[in-house]
Amino acid sequence: MDEPTIEEWMDRHHVEIVRTHATNMDGIALGKYIKRPKFLKSLPGALGIADMALAMDASGLPHLAWWHDFRRGVLGDIGLKPDIDTLISDGTDPDLGHIICDFVSAEGEPISLCPRSLLKRITDEIADMGYRVTTTFELEFFLFHTSFADARRRGYQHLSPVGATENQMIYSLRNAYHSKPFMDEVIRRLNWQKIEWESWSDEGGYGQVELNFTPSDPVQAADRVSRARQIVYEVACDMDMAVTFMAHPQPGYSSGLHAHHSLTNMETGEASFHENGGPSPLMMNWIAGMIATAAGASSFLSPTINSYRRLAEFAAPPVTASWGIEDKSAMLRIITRTPSVTRIENRLAASDANPYLAQAVMLAGGLIGAKHNLQPPEPLKHLGWRLPDTVKRLPRDIMSAYEALGEDDYLAEVLGEDVIEYWRKSRRAEWLMFHTEGGDPEAREVTDWEYNRYFELI
């Protein structure tokens, strides 16, 4: 889209203000409201933003104890480069448009730590092998009658989940009926902004909702999750309610970000993961790579202190690096009923995971399996919970995942050594903040520190 076309589009949609939207490493949505003349003047370049946007923790503290090449020796500027193909009108605010951006240097060069740019690079690498990736997410969250302001006054305790019963139901139409007025408005805004979705339903937790999206390419799929999270939050504010994407905000079931993906041969159009009614050799390599890198990948897929409260036996999430045909207790559920539905579902990611980084690390594992011709272990033949103690478990806390990522032999090949090291330092800092700011490492229940840090911002 060239600039005259952009101006025509903005005229047609009456857009006078553009909200930029970028996602930092913690998955937090950042941006500015830009007046139309300044936005147009910036094209095809980038809009300035402080470098701490990509180098701060979930509380807003800048990363000063470690550094990266994209940063100068002082707190300086970087840029947000708009992706014109993502420009949309708001649908609720008549003057407002939205655009998704990539983090770039002040000179406009790509930054390796930008989650969206990293996912683009990995998707391009798979395309260079001759395959097109198709992905989608299942986004889960908890919905409360209590407003955000009231939730803060209560210290996020004793909130009022939306539903008909406290029982741990799933797909309950009576629970969903209570959520429907809220979800009607969410769906209206998704439709207006052309964010394609397939279904929503009541989930297992009290007040829990799941929203499923139409399959697309990985970057667009992650864009949809990032935008949908913002829409869900804004609807909650507008309706005097509260939502959270914390993985485990209350006793009972937790929230995940299940991710499905498949490969298609770009030359023949055939499903590359399917052969003779089952997994193809490429799919077996792909599974093997994802299993081999699972412990290290868990650092990206369970990024917060709270994420690991989700990983309990018989609580739905996987606890081992495992795979199985149509097995929802495994980390990787493999579906091969027909070529058109053949795919891998990764069930490890928590709802607070960054969708760009989550997809990046999953696809990196598959790429590694293909490059090294890895072969997977035997599939699960029973439920993947309460297995003998001899069966190794996935990391159960943020520092165990930090160590596993440091010991991983493969992921740096695809993600980059600098990305791995920077991410590890940020997770170690998260652990240190928890231990030095009043978090109780022995607490069996969610702590005030977790609520204050994650409930509203992740």
Side-chain angles (χ1 to χ4, degrees):
M1 186 186 296
D2 57 28
E3 286 191 40
T5 304
I6 296 171
E7 290 196 63
E8 291 168 5
W9 183 93
M10 295 178 84
D11 285 340
R12 190 165 63 253
H13 291 84
H14 311 289
V15 169
E16 296 299 328
I17 301 169
V18 177
R19 186 178 74 187
T20 57
H21 184 145
T23 304
N24 72 2
M25 296 188 79
D26 277 289
I28 296 171
L30 305 170
K32 294 182 177 182
Y33 288 79
I34 311 294
K35 194 172 181 180
R36 173 173 168 164
K38 182 175 178 63
F39 173 74
L40 291 171
K41 185 179 179 181
S42 73
L43 301 176
L47 294 147
I49 193 168
D51 68 6
M52 67 177 286
L54 191 54
M56 65 180 174
D57 68 13
S59 72
L61 288 176
H63 298 158
L64 297 177
W66 67 99
W67 221 252
H68 187 273
D69 287 345
F70 86 85
R71 302 182 72 189
R72 293 176 170 81
V74 295
L75 292 178
D77 271 354
I78 54 176
L80 290 182
K81 185 174 178 59
D83 181 343
I84 296 302
D85 289 338
T86 68
L87 182 60
I88 57 174
S89 56
D90 180 81
T92 301
D93 185 332
D95 295 325
L96 186 63
H98 304 285
I99 197 161
I100 293 180
C101 302
D102 297 320
F103 291 102
V104 296
S105 71
E107 295 73 34
E109 297 300 316
I111 296 176
S112 60
L113 294 184
C114 172
R116 193 170 187 264
S117 298
L118 177 63
L119 180 56
K120 283 181 181 178
R121 177 170 62 77
I122 293 172
T123 304
D124 289 345
E125 188 172 343
I126 296 172
D128 289 342
M129 296 171 60
Y131 301 107
R132 182 175 64 253
V133 187
T134 301
T135 70
T136 192
F137 287 100
E138 301 172 11
L139 177 62
E140 296 176 348
F141 57 90
F142 281 90
L143 175 63
F144 303 93
H145 290 294
T146 318
S147 70
F148 280 117
D150 196 26
R152 289 184 217 112
R153 283 193 292 270
R154 299 185 187 192
Y156 304 101
Q157 303 290 325
H158 311 297
L159 307 185
S160 178
V162 175
T165 175
E166 295 184 18
N167 295 339
Q168 299 288 291
M169 302 293 292
I170 188 169
Y171 307 132
S172 164
L173 289 179
R174 294 191 177 183
N175 281 342
Y177 181 77
H178 288 270
S179 302
K180 188 174 181 296
F182 176 86
M183 289 305 297
D184 282 348
E185 181 59 19
V186 168
I187 296 307
R188 188 183 75 81
R189 298 189 192 189
L190 290 174
N191 289 342
W192 188 276
Q193 296 184 22
K194 296 181 172 56
I195 300 171
E196 296 187 21
W197 63 281
E198 288 189 334
S199 64
W200 71 268
S201 63
D202 165 65
E203 256 297 319
Y206 182 28
Q208 191 178 32
V209 176
E210 178 179 291
L211 175 61
N212 299 327
F213 300 91
T214 303
S216 61
D217 71 81
V219 175
Q220 186 178 58
D223 288 346
R224 286 174 178 170
V225 169
S226 187
R227 279 180 155 160
R229 281 176 172 170
Q230 185 66 20
I231 287 172
V232 168
Y233 173 80
E234 290 175 2
V235 172
C237 290
D238 292 347
M239 296 182 69
D240 213 23
M241 301 172 76
V243 296
T244 187
F245 296 97
M246 282 179 70
H248 188 76
Q250 61 186 26
Y253 287 121
S254 305
S255 290
L257 184 65
H258 298 172
H260 301 247
H261 76 274
S262 62
L263 297 189
T264 303
N265 187 297
M266 295 172 70
E267 185 175 334
T268 66
E270 295 178 349
S272 301
F273 279 169
H274 190 274
E275 187 172 297
N276 298 324
S280 68
L282 175 62
M283 190 182 206
M284 296 300 281
N285 293 153
W286 212 263
I287 292 167
M290 294 179 75
I291 295 293
T293 58
S298 67
S299 181
F300 291 94
L301 300 178
S302 296
T304 71
I305 298 292
N306 185 260
S307 302
Y308 294 88
R309 297 190 183 279
R310 171 177 171 264
L311 302 180
E313 306 272 353
F314 287 104
V319 295
T320 62
S322 54
W323 68 284
I325 303 295
E326 298 283 3
D327 189 344
K328 292 188 176 183
S329 70
M331 185 186 83
L332 302 180
R333 173 187 171 221
I334 308 304
I335 301 102
T336 58
R337 294 170 226 145
T338 65
S340 63
V341 303
T342 295
R343 64 190 186 276
I344 297 172
E345 177 189 7
N346 191 318
R347 299 176 59 81
L348 180 56
S351 58
D352 53 15
N354 181 321
Y356 301 98
L357 291 181
Q359 278 284 24
V361 76
M362 293 177 202
L363 295 177
L367 262 174
I368 286 159
K371 288 180 176 181
H372 292 270
N373 193 29
L374 300 181
Q375 297 302 313
E378 289 295 309
L380 281 179
K381 295 181 172 60
H382 306 285
L383 283 178
W385 302 300
R386 294 297 182 201
L387 296 173
D389 291 341
T390 54
V391 179
K392 187 175 181 179
R393 265 50 174 187
L394 290 162
R396 292 294 301 273
D397 60 73
I398 198 168
M399 282 305 290
S400 296
Y402 163 93
E403 296 292 349
L405 184 56
E407 295 166 1
D408 184 272
D409 295 326
Y410 293 116
L411 284 171
E413 291 180 16
V414 179
L415 298 180
E417 192 69 46
D418 65 320
V419 173
I420 296 292
E421 285 309 305
Y422 199 94
W423 176 260
R424 290 185 72 233
K425 289 171 182 175
S426 74
R427 293 314 93 189
R428 185 172 184 272
E430 194 73 4
W431 176 83
L432 285 170
M433 296 301 282
F434 176 67
H435 281 258
T436 58
E437 291 187 337
D440 180 3
E442 304 300 322
R444 298 181 66 87
E445 303 296 330
V446 183
T447 63
D448 290 342
W449 186 91
E450 292 165 74
Y451 283 123
N452 291 328
R453 195 172 183 88
Y454 304 132
F455 187 93
E456 191 168 345
L457 287 179
I458 294 293

